[in-house]
């Protein structure tokens, strides 16, 4: 009998939903304070997860959730890049 693998779950900082790690996008703040998108999920630094959903990204931008969670300034260009990633993935 094969053992069922545990699927890692993460919480979206915008919607507070628990989802599988592969269904989320990780945003990272490095030690230098640079905020970037981590598609591999392996970059070192403070991470926050967002659902791969346009509404979740817009909600995070409106409420400035990522800035407070990562304790760093998140540029608007990052949100634009996130929206592009989500739209490209939904096609």
């Amino acid at each position: 009998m094969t053992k069922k693998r545990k699927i890692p779950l993460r919480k979206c900082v915008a919607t507070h939903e628990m989802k599988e790690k592969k269904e989320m996008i990780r945003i990272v703040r490095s030690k230098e304070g640079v905020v970037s998108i981590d598609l591999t999920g392996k970059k070192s630094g403070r991470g926050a997860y967002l659902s791969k959903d346009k509404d979740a990204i817009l909600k995070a931008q409106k409420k400035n959730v990522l800035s407070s969670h990562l304790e760093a300034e998140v540029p608007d260009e990052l949100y634009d890049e996130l929206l592009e990633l989500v739209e490209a993935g939904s096609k």
Side-chain angles (χ1 to χ4, degrees):
M1 198 168 161
T2 59
K3 198 173 187 181
K4 192 171 185 178
R5 291 191 111 164
K6 185 179 141 193
I7 300 169
L9 297 175
R10 298 292 181 264
K11 189 176 194 177
C12 175
V13 293
T15 63
H16 303 289
E17 292 177 307
M18 293 292 285
K19 292 187 177 181
E20 291 181 26
K21 187 177 176 181
K22 64 182 177 183
E23 295 176 17
M24 309 283 265
I25 301 172
R26 185 171 186 248
I27 294 86
V28 173
R29 175 186 47 90
S30 65
K31 286 184 180 180
E32 295 80 33
V34 179
V35 179
S36 62
I37 298 171
D38 179 15
L39 296 175
T40 62
K42 297 186 187 307
K43 283 186 181 177
S44 63
R46 174 82 169 144
Y49 286 87
L50 271 178
S51 299
K52 289 183 182 175
D53 179 34
K54 186 177 179 181
D55 295 333
I57 295 167
L58 294 173
K59 184 176 182 181
Q61 185 176 18
K62 183 180 176 186
K63 294 189 174 187
N64 216 9
V65 175
L66 284 176
S67 292
S68 59
H69 191 78
L70 296 174
E71 299 169 356
E73 193 62 39
V74 178
D76 287 334
E77 293 81 40
L78 189 90
Y79 290 107
D80 296 336
E81 202 175 324
L82 284 167
L83 289 169
E84 286 175 25
L85 273 172
V86 169
E87 288 173 10
S90 65
K91 290 182 181 177

